[in-house]
Amino acid sequence: MNNSRELHAARPWRLLPLLIAMTAIGPVTLNIVVPALPGMITLLGTDAATMQLTLSLFLLSLACAQLVLGPLSDRFGRRPVVLAGLALAVIASLGAIAASSIGALIAARIIQAAGASTGIVIGRALIRDLYDRDRAAGMIGLVTTAMVIAPMVSPLIGGILDTAFGWESIFVFVTLTSGTVLAWAVVKLPETHHAK
Protein backbone atom coordinates (compact mmCIF):
# COMPACT_ATOMS: atom_id res chain seq x y z
CA MET A 1 0.00 0.00 0.00
CA ASN A 2 2.87 2.36 0.73
CA ASN A 3 4.19 1.84 -2.80
CA SER A 4 0.75 2.73 -4.18
CA ARG A 5 0.62 5.84 -2.03
CA GLU A 6 4.07 6.93 -3.17
CA LEU A 7 3.24 6.34 -6.83
CA HIS A 8 0.02 8.34 -6.69
CA ALA A 9 1.50 11.04 -4.50
CA ALA A 10 4.01 11.65 -7.27
CA ARG A 11 1.22 11.78 -9.89
CA PRO A 12 -1.89 12.79 -7.95
CA TRP A 13 -4.08 13.59 -10.98
CA ARG A 14 -3.53 10.33 -12.86
CA LEU A 15 -6.73 8.61 -11.69
CA LEU A 16 -8.84 11.74 -11.24
CA PRO A 17 -10.68 11.61 -14.62
CA LEU A 18 -11.57 7.96 -14.10
CA LEU A 19 -12.82 8.60 -10.57
CA ILE A 20 -14.94 11.51 -11.81
CA ALA A 21 -16.41 9.36 -14.58
CA MET A 22 -17.18 6.52 -12.15
CA THR A 23 -18.88 8.90 -9.74
CA ALA A 24 -20.93 10.55 -12.49
CA ILE A 25 -22.54 7.29 -13.65
CA GLY A 26 -25.05 7.27 -10.77
CA PRO A 27 -26.37 10.84 -11.12
CA VAL A 28 -26.42 10.61 -14.92
CA THR A 29 -28.35 7.34 -14.89
CA LEU A 30 -30.88 8.78 -12.43
CA ASN A 31 -31.58 12.09 -14.16
CA ILE A 32 -31.18 11.35 -17.85
CA VAL A 33 -34.60 9.66 -18.13
CA VAL A 34 -36.60 12.52 -16.60
CA PRO A 35 -37.46 14.30 -19.89
CA ALA A 36 -38.71 11.04 -21.43
CA LEU A 37 -41.08 10.05 -18.60
CA PRO A 38 -44.27 11.65 -20.04
CA GLY A 39 -43.84 9.87 -23.37
CA MET A 40 -42.91 6.59 -21.68
CA ILE A 41 -46.19 6.68 -19.72
CA THR A 42 -48.11 6.51 -23.00
CA LEU A 43 -45.81 4.09 -24.79
CA LEU A 44 -45.69 1.61 -21.91
CA GLY A 45 -49.38 1.96 -21.12
CA THR A 46 -49.02 2.97 -17.49
CA ASP A 47 -49.82 5.91 -15.23
CA ALA A 48 -47.71 8.71 -13.79
CA ALA A 49 -47.58 7.28 -10.27
CA THR A 50 -46.25 3.94 -11.49
CA MET A 51 -43.75 5.62 -13.81
CA GLN A 52 -42.46 7.64 -10.85
CA LEU A 53 -41.31 4.35 -9.33
CA THR A 54 -38.54 4.28 -11.94
CA LEU A 55 -37.09 7.26 -10.07
CA SER A 56 -38.05 6.64 -6.44
CA LEU A 57 -37.05 2.96 -6.42
CA PHE A 58 -33.87 3.88 -8.30
CA LEU A 59 -32.99 6.29 -5.47
CA LEU A 60 -33.81 3.69 -2.83
CA SER A 61 -31.67 1.08 -4.55
CA LEU A 62 -28.86 3.61 -5.00
CA ALA A 63 -28.84 4.38 -1.28
CA CYS A 64 -29.13 0.77 -0.08
CA ALA A 65 -26.44 -0.48 -2.45
CA GLN A 66 -23.94 2.00 -1.02
CA LEU A 67 -24.42 0.45 2.42
CA VAL A 68 -23.46 -2.94 1.00
CA LEU A 69 -20.73 -1.98 -1.46
CA GLY A 70 -18.44 -0.35 1.09
CA PRO A 71 -18.12 -3.48 3.25
CA LEU A 72 -17.82 -5.65 0.14
CA SER A 73 -14.92 -3.55 -1.10
CA ASP A 74 -13.24 -3.87 2.30
CA ARG A 75 -13.64 -7.64 2.13
CA PHE A 76 -12.85 -8.38 -1.53
CA GLY A 77 -10.95 -5.30 -2.67
CA ARG A 78 -11.86 -2.10 -4.49
CA ARG A 79 -11.14 -3.19 -8.04
CA PRO A 80 -13.33 -6.32 -8.24
CA VAL A 81 -16.28 -4.53 -6.62
CA VAL A 82 -15.97 -1.57 -9.00
CA LEU A 83 -15.74 -3.81 -12.05
CA ALA A 84 -18.67 -5.97 -10.93
CA GLY A 85 -20.80 -2.90 -10.19
CA LEU A 86 -20.09 -1.24 -13.52
CA ALA A 87 -20.76 -4.51 -15.34
CA LEU A 88 -24.08 -4.78 -13.50
CA ALA A 89 -24.98 -1.24 -14.61
CA VAL A 90 -24.22 -2.15 -18.23
CA ILE A 91 -26.30 -5.34 -18.09
CA ALA A 92 -29.24 -3.59 -16.41
CA SER A 93 -29.11 -0.80 -19.00
CA LEU A 94 -29.37 -3.40 -21.75
CA GLY A 95 -32.36 -4.84 -19.90
CA ALA A 96 -33.98 -1.41 -19.80
CA ILE A 97 -33.58 -1.07 -23.57
CA ALA A 98 -35.43 -4.35 -24.06
CA ALA A 99 -38.15 -3.59 -21.48
CA SER A 100 -41.62 -3.87 -22.97
CA SER A 101 -43.56 -3.30 -19.74
CA ILE A 102 -43.34 -0.92 -16.84
CA GLY A 103 -42.60 -3.78 -14.44
CA ALA A 104 -39.58 -4.86 -16.47
CA LEU A 105 -38.36 -1.28 -16.69
CA ILE A 106 -38.68 -0.74 -12.93
CA ALA A 107 -36.77 -3.97 -12.25
CA ALA A 108 -34.03 -2.93 -14.67
CA ARG A 109 -33.80 0.48 -13.02
CA ILE A 110 -33.44 -1.03 -9.54
CA ILE A 111 -30.56 -3.23 -10.71
CA GLN A 112 -29.08 -0.36 -12.71
CA ALA A 113 -28.99 1.81 -9.59
CA ALA A 114 -27.20 -0.87 -7.58
CA GLY A 115 -24.46 -1.01 -10.19
CA ALA A 116 -24.30 2.74 -10.78
CA SER A 117 -23.80 3.44 -7.08
CA THR A 118 -20.42 1.70 -7.19
CA GLY A 119 -18.49 4.76 -8.33
CA ILE A 120 -20.08 7.00 -5.72
CA VAL A 121 -18.97 4.97 -2.72
CA ILE A 122 -15.85 3.19 -3.98
CA GLY A 123 -14.45 6.34 -5.60
CA ARG A 124 -14.09 7.94 -2.18
CA ALA A 125 -12.60 4.77 -0.72
CA LEU A 126 -10.02 4.68 -3.51
CA ILE A 127 -8.99 8.25 -2.73
CA ARG A 128 -8.65 7.50 0.98
CA ASP A 129 -6.49 4.47 0.12
CA LEU A 130 -4.17 6.42 -2.14
CA TYR A 131 -3.71 9.87 -0.66
CA ASP A 132 -2.87 11.40 2.70
CA ARG A 133 -5.58 13.30 4.53
CA ASP A 134 -4.87 16.80 3.17
CA ARG A 135 -4.62 15.74 -0.45
CA ALA A 136 -7.55 13.30 -0.12
CA ALA A 137 -9.87 16.13 0.97
CA GLY A 138 -9.05 18.11 -2.17
CA MET A 139 -9.42 15.08 -4.43
CA ILE A 140 -12.80 14.12 -2.91
CA GLY A 141 -13.96 17.70 -3.46
CA LEU A 142 -13.05 17.52 -7.14
CA VAL A 143 -14.68 14.12 -7.63
CA THR A 144 -17.84 15.33 -5.87
CA THR A 145 -18.26 18.05 -8.49
CA ALA A 146 -19.35 15.24 -10.83
CA MET A 147 -22.39 14.73 -8.61
CA VAL A 148 -23.24 18.43 -8.96
CA ILE A 149 -22.66 18.83 -12.70
CA ALA A 150 -24.13 15.51 -13.90
CA PRO A 151 -27.73 16.23 -12.77
CA MET A 152 -27.62 19.55 -14.61
CA VAL A 153 -26.31 18.16 -17.91
CA SER A 154 -27.94 14.73 -18.14
CA PRO A 155 -31.60 15.85 -18.55
CA LEU A 156 -30.54 17.97 -21.52
CA ILE A 157 -28.87 14.94 -23.11
CA GLY A 158 -31.89 12.78 -22.29
CA GLY A 159 -34.29 15.27 -23.83
CA ILE A 160 -32.29 15.48 -27.05
CA LEU A 161 -32.03 11.70 -27.35
CA ASP A 162 -35.71 11.15 -26.58
CA THR A 163 -36.83 13.73 -29.14
CA ALA A 164 -34.51 12.49 -31.85
CA PHE A 165 -34.54 8.72 -31.38
CA GLY A 166 -37.04 7.67 -28.70
CA TRP A 167 -36.70 6.75 -25.04
CA GLU A 168 -34.75 3.55 -25.72
CA SER A 169 -31.87 5.65 -27.05
CA ILE A 170 -31.40 7.08 -23.56
CA PHE A 171 -30.57 3.62 -22.25
CA VAL A 172 -28.36 2.95 -25.26
CA PHE A 173 -26.41 6.06 -24.28
CA VAL A 174 -26.21 4.94 -20.65
CA THR A 175 -25.07 1.46 -21.75
CA LEU A 176 -22.32 2.89 -23.95
CA THR A 177 -21.22 5.35 -21.27
CA SER A 178 -21.15 2.73 -18.51
CA GLY A 179 -19.39 0.29 -20.82
CA THR A 180 -16.73 2.85 -21.66
CA VAL A 181 -16.08 3.60 -18.00
CA LEU A 182 -15.98 -0.15 -17.28
CA ALA A 183 -13.38 -0.72 -20.01
CA TRP A 184 -11.38 2.25 -18.72
CA ALA A 185 -11.45 0.83 -15.20
CA VAL A 186 -10.37 -2.61 -16.43
CA VAL A 187 -7.30 -1.05 -18.01
CA LYS A 188 -6.37 1.69 -15.53
CA LEU A 189 -7.86 1.04 -12.10
CA PRO A 190 -5.38 -0.47 -9.62
CA GLU A 191 -6.24 -2.43 -6.51
CA THR A 192 -5.63 -0.03 -3.65
CA HIS A 193 -7.00 -1.86 -0.63
CA HIS A 194 -4.60 -4.18 1.11
CA ALA A 195 -5.33 -6.06 4.31
CA LYS A 196 -3.47 -4.72 7.29
Short mmCIF file of all heavy atoms in Angstrom, two decimals, residues 92-152:
data_model
loop_
_atom_site.label_atom_id
_atom_site.label_comp_id
_atom_site.label_asym_id
_atom_site.label_seq_id
_atom_site.Cartn_x
_atom_site.Cartn_y
_atom_site.Cartn_z
N ALA A 92 -27.91 -4.12 -16.73
CA ALA A 92 -29.24 -3.59 -16.41
C ALA A 92 -29.69 -2.55 -17.44
O ALA A 92 -30.88 -2.47 -17.76
CB ALA A 92 -29.23 -2.98 -15.02
N SER A 93 -28.76 -1.77 -17.96
CA SER A 93 -29.11 -0.80 -19.00
C SER A 93 -29.57 -1.50 -20.27
O SER A 93 -30.51 -1.05 -20.94
CB SER A 93 -27.93 0.11 -19.29
OG SER A 93 -27.56 0.85 -18.14
N LEU A 94 -28.92 -2.60 -20.60
CA LEU A 94 -29.37 -3.40 -21.75
C LEU A 94 -30.77 -3.95 -21.49
O LEU A 94 -31.61 -3.99 -22.40
CB LEU A 94 -28.39 -4.55 -22.00
CG LEU A 94 -27.02 -4.15 -22.57
CD1 LEU A 94 -26.08 -5.34 -22.57
CD2 LEU A 94 -27.16 -3.59 -23.98
N GLY A 95 -31.02 -4.37 -20.24
CA GLY A 95 -32.36 -4.84 -19.90
C GLY A 95 -33.40 -3.75 -20.02
O GLY A 95 -34.54 -4.01 -20.45
N ALA A 96 -33.04 -2.52 -19.68
CA ALA A 96 -33.98 -1.41 -19.80
C ALA A 96 -34.31 -1.12 -21.26
O ALA A 96 -35.45 -0.77 -21.59
CB ALA A 96 -33.39 -0.16 -19.13
N ILE A 97 -33.32 -1.27 -22.14
CA ILE A 97 -33.58 -1.07 -23.57
C ILE A 97 -34.63 -2.06 -24.06
O ILE A 97 -35.52 -1.71 -24.85
CB ILE A 97 -32.27 -1.25 -24.39
CG1 ILE A 97 -31.26 -0.17 -24.03
CG2 ILE A 97 -32.57 -1.22 -25.89
CD1 ILE A 97 -29.87 -0.44 -24.56
N ALA A 98 -34.53 -3.29 -23.60
CA ALA A 98 -35.43 -4.35 -24.06
C ALA A 98 -36.76 -4.37 -23.33
O ALA A 98 -37.65 -5.15 -23.69
CB ALA A 98 -34.74 -5.71 -23.90
N ALA A 99 -36.93 -3.54 -22.29
CA ALA A 99 -38.15 -3.59 -21.48
C ALA A 99 -39.38 -3.24 -22.31
O ALA A 99 -39.41 -2.22 -22.99
CB ALA A 99 -38.02 -2.63 -20.30
N SER A 100 -40.37 -4.11 -22.24
CA SER A 100 -41.62 -3.87 -22.97
C SER A 100 -42.78 -3.58 -22.03
O SER A 100 -43.90 -3.37 -22.49
CB SER A 100 -41.95 -5.08 -23.85
OG SER A 100 -42.05 -6.24 -23.05
N SER A 101 -42.52 -3.60 -20.72
CA SER A 101 -43.56 -3.30 -19.74
C SER A 101 -42.96 -2.44 -18.64
O SER A 101 -41.74 -2.41 -18.45
CB SER A 101 -44.11 -4.60 -19.14
OG SER A 101 -43.13 -5.23 -18.35
N ILE A 102 -43.83 -1.79 -17.90
CA ILE A 102 -43.34 -0.92 -16.84
C ILE A 102 -42.70 -1.74 -15.73
O ILE A 102 -41.71 -1.32 -15.12
CB ILE A 102 -44.50 -0.03 -16.29
CG1 ILE A 102 -43.98 0.97 -15.26
CG2 ILE A 102 -45.60 -0.88 -15.70
CD1 ILE A 102 -42.95 1.95 -15.79
N GLY A 103 -43.21 -2.93 -15.47
CA GLY A 103 -42.60 -3.78 -14.44
C GLY A 103 -41.18 -4.15 -14.78
O GLY A 103 -40.29 -4.11 -13.91
N ALA A 104 -40.94 -4.51 -16.04
CA ALA A 104 -39.58 -4.86 -16.47
C ALA A 104 -38.66 -3.66 -16.39
O ALA A 104 -37.49 -3.78 -16.00
CB ALA A 104 -39.61 -5.42 -17.88
N LEU A 105 -39.17 -2.49 -16.75
CA LEU A 105 -38.36 -1.28 -16.69
C LEU A 105 -38.00 -0.93 -15.25
O LEU A 105 -36.85 -0.57 -14.96
CB LEU A 105 -39.09 -0.12 -17.35
CG LEU A 105 -38.33 1.21 -17.39
CD1 LEU A 105 -37.04 1.08 -18.19
CD2 LEU A 105 -39.20 2.32 -17.97
N ILE A 106 -38.95 -1.04 -14.34
CA ILE A 106 -38.68 -0.74 -12.93
C ILE A 106 -37.63 -1.70 -12.39
O ILE A 106 -36.69 -1.29 -11.68
CB ILE A 106 -39.97 -0.81 -12.10
CG1 ILE A 106 -40.88 0.38 -12.44
CG2 ILE A 106 -39.66 -0.82 -10.61
CD1 ILE A 106 -42.28 0.28 -11.86
N ALA A 107 -37.75 -2.99 -12.71
CA ALA A 107 -36.77 -3.97 -12.25
C ALA A 107 -35.38 -3.65 -12.79
O ALA A 107 -34.38 -3.70 -12.05
CB ALA A 107 -37.19 -5.38 -12.68
N ALA A 108 -35.32 -3.29 -14.07
CA ALA A 108 -34.03 -2.93 -14.67
C ALA A 108 -33.43 -1.71 -14.00
O ALA A 108 -32.22 -1.65 -13.75
CB ALA A 108 -34.19 -2.70 -16.17
N ARG A 109 -34.28 -0.74 -13.66
CA ARG A 109 -33.80 0.48 -13.02
C ARG A 109 -33.26 0.22 -11.61
O ARG A 109 -32.28 0.82 -11.19
CB ARG A 109 -34.92 1.53 -12.97
CG ARG A 109 -35.29 2.11 -14.31
CD ARG A 109 -34.29 3.13 -14.78
NE ARG A 109 -34.45 4.38 -14.05
CZ ARG A 109 -33.58 5.38 -14.10
NH1 ARG A 109 -32.48 5.28 -14.81
NH2 ARG A 109 -33.79 6.49 -13.41
N ILE A 110 -33.90 -0.69 -10.88
CA ILE A 110 -33.44 -1.03 -9.54
C ILE A 110 -32.04 -1.65 -9.62
O ILE A 110 -31.13 -1.29 -8.86
CB ILE A 110 -34.44 -1.97 -8.85
CG1 ILE A 110 -35.73 -1.22 -8.53
CG2 ILE A 110 -33.83 -2.58 -7.59
CD1 ILE A 110 -36.87 -2.11 -8.06
N ILE A 111 -31.87 -2.58 -10.55
CA ILE A 111 -30.56 -3.23 -10.71
C ILE A 111 -29.53 -2.24 -11.22
O ILE A 111 -28.37 -2.23 -10.79
CB ILE A 111 -30.69 -4.44 -11.65
CG1 ILE A 111 -31.64 -5.48 -11.03
CG2 ILE A 111 -29.33 -5.07 -11.93
CD1 ILE A 111 -32.07 -6.57 -11.99
N GLN A 112 -29.96 -1.39 -12.15
CA GLN A 112 -29.08 -0.36 -12.71
C GLN A 112 -28.54 0.55 -11.61
O GLN A 112 -27.35 0.89 -11.58
CB GLN A 112 -29.88 0.44 -13.73
CG GLN A 112 -29.08 1.39 -14.59
CD GLN A 112 -30.00 2.15 -15.54
OE1 GLN A 112 -31.02 2.70 -15.12
NE2 GLN A 112 -29.66 2.17 -16.81
N ALA A 113 -29.40 0.93 -10.68
CA ALA A 113 -28.99 1.81 -9.59
C ALA A 113 -27.96 1.14 -8.70
O ALA A 113 -27.00 1.78 -8.26
CB ALA A 113 -30.21 2.22 -8.76
N ALA A 114 -28.15 -0.15 -8.42
CA ALA A 114 -27.20 -0.87 -7.58
C ALA A 114 -25.80 -0.85 -8.21
O ALA A 114 -24.80 -0.64 -7.53
CB ALA A 114 -27.67 -2.31 -7.36
N GLY A 115 -25.75 -1.05 -9.52
CA GLY A 115 -24.46 -1.01 -10.19
C GLY A 115 -23.89 0.40 -10.30
O GLY A 115 -22.69 0.62 -10.10
N ALA A 116 -24.76 1.36 -10.59
CA ALA A 116 -24.30 2.74 -10.78
C ALA A 116 -23.80 3.38 -9.50
O ALA A 116 -23.02 4.33 -9.53
CB ALA A 116 -25.44 3.58 -11.37
N SER A 117 -24.24 2.86 -8.35
CA SER A 117 -23.80 3.44 -7.08
C SER A 117 -22.35 3.10 -6.75
O SER A 117 -21.75 3.71 -5.87
CB SER A 117 -24.70 2.96 -5.94
OG SER A 117 -24.52 1.57 -5.72
N THR A 118 -21.78 2.15 -7.48
CA THR A 118 -20.42 1.70 -7.19
C THR A 118 -19.42 2.85 -7.19
O THR A 118 -18.62 3.00 -6.26
CB THR A 118 -19.97 0.65 -8.23
OG1 THR A 118 -20.94 -0.38 -8.28
CG2 THR A 118 -18.62 0.08 -7.88
N GLY A 119 -19.46 3.68 -8.23
CA GLY A 119 -18.49 4.76 -8.33
C GLY A 119 -18.63 5.78 -7.23
O GLY A 119 -17.63 6.36 -6.78
N ILE A 120 -19.85 5.99 -6.75
CA ILE A 120 -20.08 7.00 -5.72
C ILE A 120 -19.36 6.62 -4.43
O ILE A 120 -18.67 7.43 -3.83
CB ILE A 120 -21.59 7.19 -5.47
CG1 ILE A 120 -22.27 7.72 -6.74
CG2 ILE A 120 -21.83 8.13 -4.30
CD1 ILE A 120 -23.78 7.75 -6.65
N VAL A 121 -19.53 5.37 -4.00
CA VAL A 121 -18.97 4.97 -2.72
C VAL A 121 -17.52 4.50 -2.83
O VAL A 121 -16.68 4.85 -2.01
CB VAL A 121 -19.87 3.90 -2.05
CG1 VAL A 121 -19.91 2.62 -2.86
CG2 VAL A 121 -19.41 3.61 -0.64
N ILE A 122 -17.20 3.73 -3.87
CA ILE A 122 -15.85 3.19 -3.98
C ILE A 122 -14.86 4.26 -4.44
O ILE A 122 -13.68 4.21 -4.11
CB ILE A 122 -15.80 1.97 -4.93
CG1 ILE A 122 -16.86 0.95 -4.56
CG2 ILE A 122 -14.42 1.33 -4.91
CD1 ILE A 122 -16.71 0.35 -3.19
N GLY A 123 -15.33 5.25 -5.19
CA GLY A 123 -14.45 6.34 -5.60
C GLY A 123 -13.82 7.04 -4.41
O GLY A 123 -12.61 7.31 -4.39
N ARG A 124 -14.62 7.30 -3.39
CA ARG A 124 -14.09 7.94 -2.18
C ARG A 124 -13.13 7.01 -1.44
O ARG A 124 -12.12 7.45 -0.91
CB ARG A 124 -15.24 8.35 -1.28
CG ARG A 124 -16.09 9.47 -1.85
CD ARG A 124 -17.12 9.94 -0.84
NE ARG A 124 -17.90 11.04 -1.36
CZ ARG A 124 -19.11 10.93 -1.88
NH1 ARG A 124 -19.68 9.75 -1.95
NH2 ARG A 124 -19.75 11.98 -2.33
N ALA A 125 -13.48 5.73 -1.40
CA ALA A 125 -12.60 4.77 -0.72
C ALA A 125 -11.25 4.67 -1.42
O ALA A 125 -10.20 4.59 -0.77
CB ALA A 125 -13.27 3.39 -0.67
N LEU A 126 -11.27 4.71 -2.75
CA LEU A 126 -10.02 4.68 -3.51
C LEU A 126 -9.14 5.88 -3.16
O LEU A 126 -7.92 5.75 -2.99
CB LEU A 126 -10.32 4.67 -5.02
CG LEU A 126 -10.82 3.36 -5.61
CD1 LEU A 126 -11.51 3.59 -6.94
CD2 LEU A 126 -9.67 2.38 -5.77
N ILE A 127 -9.75 7.04 -3.06
CA ILE A 127 -8.99 8.25 -2.73
C ILE A 127 -8.39 8.14 -1.34
O ILE A 127 -7.22 8.47 -1.13
CB ILE A 127 -9.89 9.49 -2.86
CG1 ILE A 127 -10.22 9.75 -4.32
CG2 ILE A 127 -9.20 10.72 -2.25
CD1 ILE A 127 -11.28 10.81 -4.55
N ARG A 128 -9.18 7.65 -0.38
CA ARG A 128 -8.65 7.50 0.98
C ARG A 128 -7.51 6.48 1.03
O ARG A 128 -6.58 6.62 1.83
CB ARG A 128 -9.78 7.08 1.94
CG ARG A 128 -10.71 8.22 2.27
CD ARG A 128 -11.58 7.89 3.46
NE ARG A 128 -12.33 6.65 3.29
CZ ARG A 128 -13.53 6.56 2.74
NH1 ARG A 128 -14.13 7.63 2.29
NH2 ARG A 128 -14.12 5.38 2.63
N ASP A 129 -7.58 5.47 0.17
CA ASP A 129 -6.49 4.47 0.12
C ASP A 129 -5.20 5.08 -0.42
O ASP A 129 -4.11 4.71 0.02
CB ASP A 129 -6.87 3.30 -0.79
CG ASP A 129 -7.96 2.42 -0.22
OD1 ASP A 129 -8.22 2.51 1.00
OD2 ASP A 129 -8.56 1.65 -0.99
N LEU A 130 -5.33 5.99 -1.37
CA LEU A 130 -4.17 6.42 -2.14
C LEU A 130 -3.50 7.69 -1.62
O LEU A 130 -2.31 7.88 -1.85
CB LEU A 130 -4.57 6.65 -3.60
CG LEU A 130 -4.92 5.40 -4.39
CD1 LEU A 130 -5.49 5.78 -5.75
CD2 LEU A 130 -3.71 4.50 -4.55
N TYR A 131 -4.25 8.56 -0.97
CA TYR A 131 -3.71 9.87 -0.66
C TYR A 131 -3.76 10.16 0.84
O TYR A 131 -4.63 9.66 1.55
CB TYR A 131 -4.49 10.96 -1.42
CG TYR A 131 -4.50 10.73 -2.91
CD1 TYR A 131 -5.64 10.25 -3.55
CD2 TYR A 131 -3.36 10.95 -3.68
CE1 TYR A 131 -5.64 10.03 -4.92
CE2 TYR A 131 -3.36 10.73 -5.04
CZ TYR A 131 -4.50 10.26 -5.66
OH TYR A 131 -4.49 10.03 -6.99
N ASP A 132 -2.83 10.99 1.30
CA ASP A 132 -2.87 11.40 2.70
C ASP A 132 -4.06 12.33 2.93
O ASP A 132 -4.73 12.76 1.99
CB ASP A 132 -1.56 12.10 3.08
CG ASP A 132 -1.26 13.33 2.23
OD1 ASP A 132 -2.16 14.17 2.05
OD2 ASP A 132 -0.13 13.45 1.72
N ARG A 133 -4.34 12.63 4.18
CA ARG A 133 -5.58 13.30 4.53
C ARG A 133 -5.76 14.64 3.83
O ARG A 133 -6.84 14.94 3.30
CB ARG A 133 -5.65 13.50 6.05
CG ARG A 133 -6.92 14.21 6.49
CD ARG A 133 -7.03 14.26 7.98
NE ARG A 133 -7.09 12.91 8.54
CZ ARG A 133 -7.39 12.66 9.80
NH1 ARG A 133 -7.64 13.65 10.62
NH2 ARG A 133 -7.41 11.42 10.25
N ASP A 134 -4.73 15.46 3.78
CA ASP A 134 -4.87 16.80 3.17
C ASP A 134 -5.17 16.70 1.68
O ASP A 134 -6.06 17.38 1.17
CB ASP A 134 -3.60 17.62 3.41
CG ASP A 134 -3.41 17.98 4.87
OD1 ASP A 134 -4.42 17.98 5.61
OD2 ASP A 134 -2.27 18.25 5.28
N ARG A 135 -4.41 15.86 0.99
CA ARG A 135 -4.62 15.74 -0.45
C ARG A 135 -5.94 15.01 -0.74
O ARG A 135 -6.62 15.34 -1.71
CB ARG A 135 -3.45 14.98 -1.08
CG ARG A 135 -3.59 14.84 -2.58
CD ARG A 135 -2.27 14.51 -3.23
NE ARG A 135 -1.44 15.69 -3.32
CZ ARG A 135 -0.15 15.67 -3.65
NH1 ARG A 135 0.44 14.52 -3.91
NH2 ARG A 135 0.55 16.77 -3.73
N ALA A 136 -6.30 14.04 0.10
CA ALA A 136 -7.55 13.30 -0.12
C ALA A 136 -8.75 14.24 -0.06
O ALA A 136 -9.70 14.09 -0.85
CB ALA A 136 -7.69 12.19 0.91
N ALA A 137 -8.74 15.20 0.85
CA ALA A 137 -9.87 16.13 0.97
C ALA A 137 -10.06 16.91 -0.33
O ALA A 137 -11.19 17.07 -0.81
CB ALA A 137 -9.64 17.07 2.13
N GLY A 138 -8.97 17.38 -0.91
CA GLY A 138 -9.05 18.11 -2.17
C GLY A 138 -9.53 17.24 -3.32
O GLY A 138 -10.35 17.65 -4.14
N MET A 139 -9.03 16.00 -3.36
CA MET A 139 -9.42 15.08 -4.43
C MET A 139 -10.90 14.71 -4.32
O MET A 139 -11.61 14.65 -5.32
CB MET A 139 -8.56 13.82 -4.38
CG MET A 139 -7.08 14.06 -4.63
SD MET A 139 -6.72 14.55 -6.33
CE MET A 139 -6.70 12.96 -7.13
N ILE A 140 -11.38 14.45 -3.10
CA ILE A 140 -12.80 14.12 -2.91
C ILE A 140 -13.67 15.31 -3.33
O ILE A 140 -14.72 15.13 -3.95
CB ILE A 140 -13.07 13.70 -1.45
CG1 ILE A 140 -12.48 12.31 -1.19
CG2 ILE A 140 -14.57 13.71 -1.15
CD1 ILE A 140 -12.56 11.87 0.26
N GLY A 141 -13.22 16.52 -3.03
CA GLY A 141 -13.96 17.70 -3.46
C GLY A 141 -14.09 17.79 -4.97
O GLY A 141 -15.16 18.09 -5.50
N LEU A 142 -13.00 17.48 -5.68
CA LEU A 142 -13.05 17.52 -7.14
C LEU A 142 -13.95 16.43 -7.71
O LEU A 142 -14.73 16.66 -8.63
CB LEU A 142 -11.63 17.37 -7.70
CG LEU A 142 -10.71 18.57 -7.50
CD1 LEU A 142 -9.27 18.22 -7.87
CD2 LEU A 142 -11.19 19.76 -8.33
N VAL A 143 -13.86 15.23 -7.15
CA VAL A 143 -14.68 14.12 -7.63
C VAL A 143 -16.16 14.40 -7.35
O VAL A 143 -17.03 14.08 -8.16
CB VAL A 143 -14.24 12.79 -6.97
CG1 VAL A 143 -15.24 11.68 -7.23
CG2 VAL A 143 -12.86 12.39 -7.49
N THR A 144 -16.45 15.04 -6.23
CA THR A 144 -17.84 15.33 -5.87
C THR A 144 -18.48 16.32 -6.83
O THR A 144 -19.71 16.33 -6.98
CB THR A 144 -17.90 15.86 -4.42
OG1 THR A 144 -17.31 14.88 -3.56
CG2 THR A 144 -19.33 16.08 -3.97
N THR A 145 -17.68 17.12 -7.52
CA THR A 145 -18.26 18.05 -8.49
C THR A 145 -19.02 17.29 -9.58
O THR A 145 -19.95 17.84 -10.17
CB THR A 145 -17.18 18.92 -9.15
OG1 THR A 145 -16.21 18.09 -9.81
CG2 THR A 145 -16.49 19.80 -8.14
N ALA A 146 -18.62 16.04 -9.84
CA ALA A 146 -19.35 15.24 -10.83
C ALA A 146 -20.80 15.05 -10.41
O ALA A 146 -21.71 15.02 -11.26
CB ALA A 146 -18.68 13.89 -11.02
N MET A 147 -21.04 14.93 -9.11
CA MET A 147 -22.39 14.73 -8.61
C MET A 147 -23.21 16.02 -8.66
O MET A 147 -24.44 15.97 -8.54
CB MET A 147 -22.35 14.18 -7.19
CG MET A 147 -21.71 12.81 -7.11
SD MET A 147 -21.79 12.10 -5.46
CE MET A 147 -23.56 11.82 -5.32
N VAL A 148 -22.54 17.14 -8.83
CA VAL A 148 -23.24 18.43 -8.96
C VAL A 148 -23.52 18.73 -10.42
O VAL A 148 -24.62 19.17 -10.79
CB VAL A 148 -22.40 19.56 -8.33
CG1 VAL A 148 -23.06 20.91 -8.54
CG2 VAL A 148 -22.18 19.28 -6.84
N ILE A 149 -22.54 18.48 -11.28
CA ILE A 149 -22.66 18.83 -12.70
C ILE A 149 -23.54 17.83 -13.45
O ILE A 149 -24.36 18.22 -14.29
CB ILE A 149 -21.27 18.92 -13.34
CG1 ILE A 149 -20.49 20.08 -12.72
CG2 ILE A 149 -21.37 19.09 -14.85
CD1 ILE A 149 -19.04 20.14 -13.12
N ALA A 150 -23.40 16.55 -13.15
CA ALA A 150 -24.13 15.51 -13.90
C ALA A 150 -25.64 15.71 -13.89
O ALA A 150 -26.29 15.60 -14.94
CB ALA A 150 -23.76 14.12 -13.38
N PRO A 151 -26.28 16.02 -12.74
CA PRO A 151 -27.73 16.23 -12.77
C PRO A 151 -28.18 17.43 -13.58
O PRO A 151 -29.33 17.50 -14.00
CB PRO A 151 -28.10 16.42 -11.28
CG PRO A 151 -26.98 15.80 -10.53
CD PRO A 151 -25.76 16.02 -11.37
N MET A 152 -27.27 18.39 -13.81
CA MET A 152 -27.62 19.55 -14.61
C MET A 152 -27.55 19.25 -16.10
O MET A 152 -28.34 19.74 -16.89
CB MET A 152 -26.71 20.72 -14.27
CG MET A 152 -26.86 21.25 -12.86
SD MET A 152 -25.94 22.77 -12.57
CE MET A 152 -24.25 22.20 -12.65
#
